[in-house]
Amino acid sequence: MRRIKYYLIGIALFVGGWFIGRLFSGEPSAETPKEVQEQKPTKKKTIYTCSMHPQIRSDKPGKCPICGMPLEPLESVQAAASENLYEIHMSKEAIALADIETEPVKYLQAVRTLSLQGRLAVDERRIATITARFPGRIERLYANFTGKWVRKGAPLVDIYSPELIVAQKEFLESLKLKERYPEVYQAAKEKLLLWGITEKQIEKLEKEKKLIYNFTIYSPLSGVIFQRKVALGDYVKEGTPIVEIAEISRLWVLLDAYEQDLPWIQIGMPVKVYVDAFPHKVYTARITYIDPYVDEVRRIARVRAELNNPRWELKPEMFVKATIETRLKKQRILAVPKSAVLWAGRHAIVYVKKHADESGITFEYRLVKLGVDAGNYYEVVEGLQEGEEVAVHGTFSIDAAAQLAGKYAMLNPPPNQQQFYQVSYEVPQLPPSTKPSPHYEHFLKAYFAFKDALVEDNAQKAQQALKSMKEALRAMNNPPAVAKELLKHLSMHPAKTLEEQRKLLLMISPMVIQWVEQQGVPSSYKALYKDFCPMAGDKGGFWLSQFEAIKNPYFGAAMLKCGSVKKVLKPSQPSTSRKVHHKTSTSTKPSPHYEHFLKAYFAFKDALVEDNTQKAQQALKSMKEALRAMNNPPAVAKELLKHLSMHPAKTLEEQRKLLLMISPMVIQWVEQQGVPSSYKALYKDFCPMAGDNGGFWLSQFEAIKNPYFGAAMLKCGSVKKVLKP
C-alpha cells in the first residue's frame, strides 16, 4: 500500500513540473486564447544593405561583395514615406550615426592664396644688340666669352676697316678747308659720328692728325654678355650683330596660371617669390602683364612680374615658386563650403535643410550653379539663397539614404538631368589624326597593361607599362597632336606610387578615349569599352578597357566591380572618301656649319663613350663655334646654342646630362634638315636606363656604343630609326 502511495506522489510531481515548465516557457497551451497569442511581441530582424548597391541584402553586418564598402542597417537610412522625390527624411538616430552637420549659406569676402610655379628670365627691354656700323675685320675681341660682365663704356671689339680709313682721310682733308668750307668739314665729321666714332676719338684724330687703323666699339650699358655672335678674325658687314648684352639687375618672373586662377589675378598685385638656391629668402615682385590668350596645349596663361636683382644673386632660368594673396573684384560673394558639394559629372548637388522636428530633419536634393573656386568655398551663382542651411558633413550618407529610398540622388538623377555622366573632364579639342602609326597599337597594348596593373594594385607592373607607353609614343614619326600631349603628360609625371599612377590614369584616359574615337579601334580587338566610375577623383572618371566586365583600376580590389560601361567602340573600315593632305615644310639649304656641328656632336658623343672628359670639353667648344658661325641660324640651332652656353658641363656626369638634354633637338634638326651626303646613314639610338625616362642619342655607327654609361654599360640600347641621305 505504501509503495502505491509513493508512485502516486511521483506522478503528481511530474505532472506539476511539466505544467509549470510549459507556463514559463512562453509556448501557448492548447487552451490559450488566440487573442492572447496575437498580443505577444515578436523580435524584428535587422537587414543590412550597401549604400552604393541597394540590391545587396544581408541579415548580418559585413562588407558589400561588389564594392567592399561596409553594409549599413536598412532602418538607419530608410526615409519616411513621402511622395516628394526631391526630399529625404533622416531620423535623429540616423543623423547621429552619420555625423551629419549643417552650415548656412552666407556672403563672404572672396580671398584666396594662389600657388604658382615658373622661372626667371631676362627683361627683354634690357637686352642690347651691338652691331657693326661699318664693314671690316675683327682684330681684337674683348667680349670673348658668354656670361662675361662688362661696364658701360668698356671696349668690346677692335675692328680694322679700310672704308673707315678712307673716311678719316676725307675728314683730315676737310680740316684744311674748315675755314673756307665749314660745311664740308661738318659733313665729314657727321659721317664719322654716324659710324659710331666717339667725339673723343674725333678730337684725337683732329689733334694728332694720325690715322686710326683699329677702331674700338664700346658697350652702351653695363651687363653680361648674353650671346657672342663673332669670333676673332671674322669679317663683318654693316649691320652684322657682334654681341648681345643683357642687364640683369631687374628680372622677369614668368609664372604659369591655369584658367581657373585667372579671375583672381590682376595687374599690380604683389607676388612673393621663392627660389631653391636661397630657401630662407622671400623676394617681392609685382605683376605687370598677363597674357591675353591661353596656350592651346598646356592650357595655361603666362603671368609676368618684375623683380629687382641688385646683387645679381638671382640668375635667369632659375625655377621659382610664387604665392599671390588675391581677392576678387567683387566685394562679396554668396559662398557655400566645398564639403557641401557632391559632383555628378559636371553638375553640382547640395542637400538643403528644409525643416526639422522631433522625428528628425528633412533634406532637399538641389542642383546648384557654381562660380569661382574661393579656397574652401565655391561661389554660388544660382540655386541657393543667403541663410539656407546645407549639409556640410555626412552628405554622402544623406545621398545614400535617398538612393535606398528610391528618391533622387547623385546616382539616381531626375529625368531631365540624365546627362550627368556624359562628360567628366574638359579634354582639349585636338585635330583629327591621320593614318595610324604601327606604334598606335603598341601604345594601346601598353595602356591596357597599365590599367590592368592598377586593377591588380601592382605599382611595379604599372611602372613598366608606363615606360612602354612612352617608348611607343616616342617611336612615332609625325605623331598626332593627342600623342604629343600624352607624351608630355607621361614625361612630366613620374607616378611611382599607386596613388600617383591612378591620378595619372584619370588624367590621360579622356585623351586616350578621344584618340581611339578619332583613329578607330584596331582590328586585333573585337571591341573596346568606355567605362565610368562616379567615385573616381572629384567628379568621376572614365577609362578604356578591352574587357566587357567591369574591373575598376581606380580602386582595385577595394571596389573592383564599381562602375558601368558607357559606350562600346568597335572596329570599322577606314573611310576612303576623305583625303587627308599633309602640309610639309621644306628646309632651306643647309649651312656649311651644319655639318661641322654634327661632326663636333659625334666627337662629343664618342668622348663620352670613352669616358674622356677632356675630349668632350673640346668637342663642346667646337659645337658652340659651329653654331655661332651660322648666318640666320634656324630656331633649333639658337636653342642648342642657348643650352650649350648655359651649361658649362665640366665633369662626365654634367656632360652626360647635357647630351641627354640636347640629343632630341639634334635628332629633330637632322630629321628636318636631312642627313649630309658625307654619311651613308645616321642612327637614332635609345637607352631605357638613361635619365628618369630613358634617353635618345644620334650616332654615325650602326653598332651600339652607349655614351650615357660608357664602359660600364657599353652595349646597352637599341637602334630605333635609321636616317639616310
Side-chain angles (χ1 to χ4, degrees):
M1 191 72 182
R2 186 177 290 178
R3 185 175 293 177
I4 296 171
K5 182 180 179 181
Y6 287 140
Y7 279 128
L8 290 173
I9 292 171
I11 292 169
L13 288 173
F14 174 77
V15 173
W18 176 82
F19 180 78
I20 292 170
R22 291 281 292 174
L23 184 64
F24 286 98
S25 67
E27 294 182 14
S29 64
E31 292 83 10
T32 304
K34 187 177 181 182
E35 292 81 5
V36 176
Q37 292 185 44
E38 289 176 352
Q39 289 174 6
K40 282 282 182 183
T42 57
K43 189 176 179 180
K44 192 175 180 181
K45 194 178 276 187
T46 301
I47 302 297
Y48 295 86
T49 186
C50 174
S51 58
M52 290 297 298
H53 302 92
Q55 70 271 25
I56 300 299
R57 293 286 192 273
S58 173
D59 57 356
K60 297 177 183 177
K63 290 188 176 182
C64 174
I66 297 177
C67 64
M69 291 178 66
L71 300 179
E72 299 178 7
L74 187 61
E75 291 83 354
S76 66
V77 293
Q78 279 184 326
S82 172
E83 294 182 0
N84 191 342
L85 296 179
Y86 287 90
E87 293 183 357
I88 177 69
H89 184 80
M90 300 285 289
S91 67
K92 287 185 177 181
E93 294 79 9
I95 289 170
L97 186 65
D99 195 18
I100 294 171
E101 297 175 7
T102 62
E103 187 176 314
V105 179
K106 54 191 174 183
Y107 280 95
L108 295 174
Q109 175 65 58
V111 179
R112 187 180 176 193
T113 300
L114 294 179
S115 296
L116 305 177
Q117 293 185 337
R119 62 183 178 87
L120 298 177
V122 175
D123 187 337
E124 294 174 2
R125 299 165 300 184
R126 293 171 178 259
I127 298 175
T129 301
I130 314 302
T131 60
R133 297 191 180 183
F134 44 82
R137 183 179 67 242
I138 305 297
E139 290 294 310
R140 186 172 180 182
L141 195 61
Y142 300 95
N144 50 8
F145 64 89
T146 300
K148 183 177 181 179
W149 184 81
V150 293
R151 289 183 179 274
K152 182 178 180 179
L156 298 175
V157 292
D158 286 349
I159 298 181
Y160 168 76
S161 173
E163 293 188 20
L164 195 56
I165 292 173
V166 172
Q168 290 180 79
K169 288 179 179 179
E170 290 175 357
F171 176 74
L172 292 176
E173 288 296 324
S174 70
L175 283 175
K176 299 174 184 178
L177 306 172
K178 183 178 180 181
E179 294 182 0
R180 293 180 60 189
Y181 301 103
E183 64 277 3
V184 175
Y185 165 80
Q186 196 61 37
K189 183 178 180 180
E190 191 69 28
K191 183 177 181 180
L192 293 176
L193 288 171
L194 290 173
W195 275 2
I197 310 304
T198 64
E199 286 281 0
K200 287 185 178 180
Q201 288 173 316
I202 294 174
E203 287 175 8
K204 182 180 178 182
L205 176 64
E206 189 172 347
K207 184 178 179 180
E208 298 180 358
K209 295 182 175 56
K210 291 182 180 179
L211 296 177
I212 303 172
Y213 290 95
N214 293 331
F215 269 90
T216 304
I217 295 178
Y218 297 93
S219 174
L221 75 164
S222 297
V224 295
I225 304 299
F226 192 60
Q227 197 170 358
R228 180 169 64 88
K229 303 281 190 178
V230 295
L232 189 66
D234 281 357
Y235 282 87
V236 294
K237 298 178 182 179
E238 183 178 354
T240 300
I242 296 174
V243 291
E244 283 186 5
I245 299 175
E247 204 275 300
I248 61 171
S249 63
R250 191 173 181 84
L251 296 174
W252 280 352
V253 184
L254 302 179
L255 302 171
D256 295 337
Y258 289 97
E259 297 175 59
Q260 62 267 28
D261 298 332
L262 293 177
W264 296 86
I265 303 174
Q266 300 171 34
I267 291 175
M269 282 183 170
V271 182
K272 292 181 180 178
V273 180
Y274 307 86
V275 295
D276 290 339
F278 307 101
H280 303 298
K281 285 192 175 184
V282 180
Y283 300 89
T284 303
R286 193 165 292 276
I287 296 173
T288 57
Y289 177 78
I290 302 171
D291 272 354
Y293 56 86
V294 173
D295 187 283
E296 63 178 352
V297 176
R298 297 177 63 201
R299 311 309 302 164
I300 57 101
R302 185 63 58 80
V303 176
R304 188 174 77 209
E306 294 185 13
L307 175 65
N308 288 325
N309 184 32
R311 298 181 181 178
W312 291 19
E313 61 186 5
L314 299 176
K315 314 299 181 189
E317 301 304 324
M318 274 185 170
F319 286 112
V320 299
K321 296 175 183 176
T323 59
I324 308 174
E325 299 289 337
T326 71
R327 59 180 61 198
L328 285 178
K329 291 181 181 178
K330 302 175 185 177
Q331 292 298 318
R332 299 170 74 210
I333 61 169
L334 186 62
V336 62
K338 280 186 174 178
S339 59
V341 180
L342 297 177
W343 288 97
R346 295 173 65 185
H347 297 270
I349 299 161
V350 296
Y351 281 95
V352 183
K353 180 180 177 182
K354 292 300 289 182
H355 58 264
D357 53 30
E358 294 180 358
S359 63
I361 301 175
T362 300
F363 291 96
E364 180 189 3
Y365 169 99
R366 194 178 296 180
L367 192 69
V368 294
K369 187 176 180 181
L370 302 179
V372 295
D373 181 341
N376 293 325
Y377 292 85
Y378 286 119
E379 179 190 13
V380 178
V381 177
E382 190 179 309
L384 288 171
Q385 295 179 354
E386 185 182 11
E388 288 189 299
E389 287 192 42
V390 294
V392 295
H393 195 275
T395 45
F396 276 103
S397 297
I398 300 173
D399 190 80
Q403 184 184 353
L404 291 174
K407 305 296 182 72
Y408 293 142
M410 185 172 63
L411 297 182
N412 183 34
N416 61 339
Q417 297 297 336
Q418 289 296 331
Q419 71 274 22
F420 276 13
Y421 305 121
Q422 295 303 311
V423 179
S424 175
Y425 283 94
E426 293 287 347
V427 183
Q429 290 301 311
L430 301 166
S433 303
T434 57
K435 185 179 178 181
S437 159
H439 302 287
Y440 167 60
E441 195 167 345
H442 299 166
F443 169 80
L444 284 181
K445 185 178 179 182
Y447 169 84
F448 292 138
F450 179 54
K451 180 263 301 179
D452 293 339
L454 297 182
V455 169
E456 300 169 8
D457 301 315
N458 192 323
Q460 190 174 358
K461 276 189 181 179
Q463 194 72 19
Q464 293 169 353
L466 270 176
K467 287 184 180 179
S468 300
M469 278 198 280
K470 286 185 275 191
E471 287 175 7
L473 291 169
R474 288 193 183 108
M476 288 184 177
N477 293 325
N478 300 319
V482 66
K484 293 178 183 177
E485 184 68 10
L486 279 165
L487 181 58
K488 181 179 176 182
H489 279 78
L490 293 173
S491 301
M492 287 173 63
H493 301 89
K496 295 181 180 178
T497 66
L498 269 176
E499 184 182 358
E500 292 171 347
Q501 289 163 352
R502 282 171 171 146
K503 284 182 180 177
L504 184 58
L505 180 71
L506 193 67
M507 188 186 303
I508 67 170
S509 287
M511 289 183 278
V512 175
I513 292 168
Q514 181 186 350
W515 193 7
V516 172
E517 287 176 337
Q518 288 179 355
Q519 196 77 75
V521 177
S523 57
S524 54
Y525 297 96
K526 291 182 179 179
L528 296 179
Y529 302 89
K530 180 180 176 182
D531 298 338
F532 179 77
C533 171
M535 303 296 291
D538 295 329
K539 305 177 183 180
F542 286 96
W543 76 92
L544 194 67
S545 177
Q546 72 276 43
F547 308 117
E548 187 174 2
I550 292 291
K551 291 185 179 180
N552 193 311
Y554 296 121
F555 297 97
M559 293 173 64
L560 188 62
K561 297 183 180 180
C562 180
S564 59
V565 176
K566 293 297 176 184
K567 190 175 181 182
V568 180
L569 306 171
K570 293 188 177 182
S572 59
Q573 293 297 325
S575 173
T576 56
S577 61
R578 180 182 173 189
K579 294 183 179 179
V580 180
H581 299 279
H582 300 277
K583 185 178 179 181
T584 57
S585 59
T586 56
S587 301
T588 56
K589 187 177 179 181
S591 161
H593 301 288
Y594 167 60
E595 195 167 345
H596 299 165
F597 169 80
L598 285 181
K599 186 177 179 182
Y601 170 83
F602 292 138
F604 179 55
K605 181 262 301 179
D606 292 340
L608 297 181
V609 169
E610 299 168 7
D611 301 316
N612 193 321
T613 307
Q614 190 174 356
K615 277 188 180 180
Q617 195 72 21
Q618 293 170 352
L620 271 175
K621 289 182 182 178
S622 301
M623 278 197 281
K624 287 187 275 191
E625 287 174 4
L627 292 169
R628 288 193 184 106
M630 289 184 176
N631 292 326
N632 300 319
V636 67
K638 293 178 182 177
E639 190 68 16
L640 279 164
L641 182 57
K642 181 179 176 182
H643 280 78
L644 293 172
S645 302
M646 286 175 62
H647 300 88
K650 295 181 179 179
T651 66
L652 264 178
E653 184 182 359
E654 291 172 347
Q655 289 163 351
R656 282 170 172 148
K657 283 182 180 177
L658 184 59
L659 180 71
L660 191 68
M661 189 186 302
I662 67 170
S663 288
M665 290 185 277
V666 175
I667 293 168
Q668 178 190 351
W669 194 7
V670 172
E671 288 176 337
Q672 290 176 353
Q673 195 75 70
V675 177
S677 56
S678 54
Y679 297 97
K680 291 183 179 180
L682 295 180
Y683 302 88
K684 180 180 175 181
D685 298 338
F686 179 77
C687 171
M689 304 297 291
D692 295 328
N693 303 306
F696 286 95
W697 75 91
L698 194 67
S699 177
Q700 72 275 45
F701 307 116
E702 186 174 2
I704 292 291
K705 291 184 179 180
N706 193 311
Y708 295 121
F709 296 98
M713 293 172 65
L714 187 62
K715 296 184 180 180
C716 179
S718 58
V719 177
K720 293 296 181 183
K721 188 177 180 182
V722 180
L723 306 171
K724 293 189 176 181

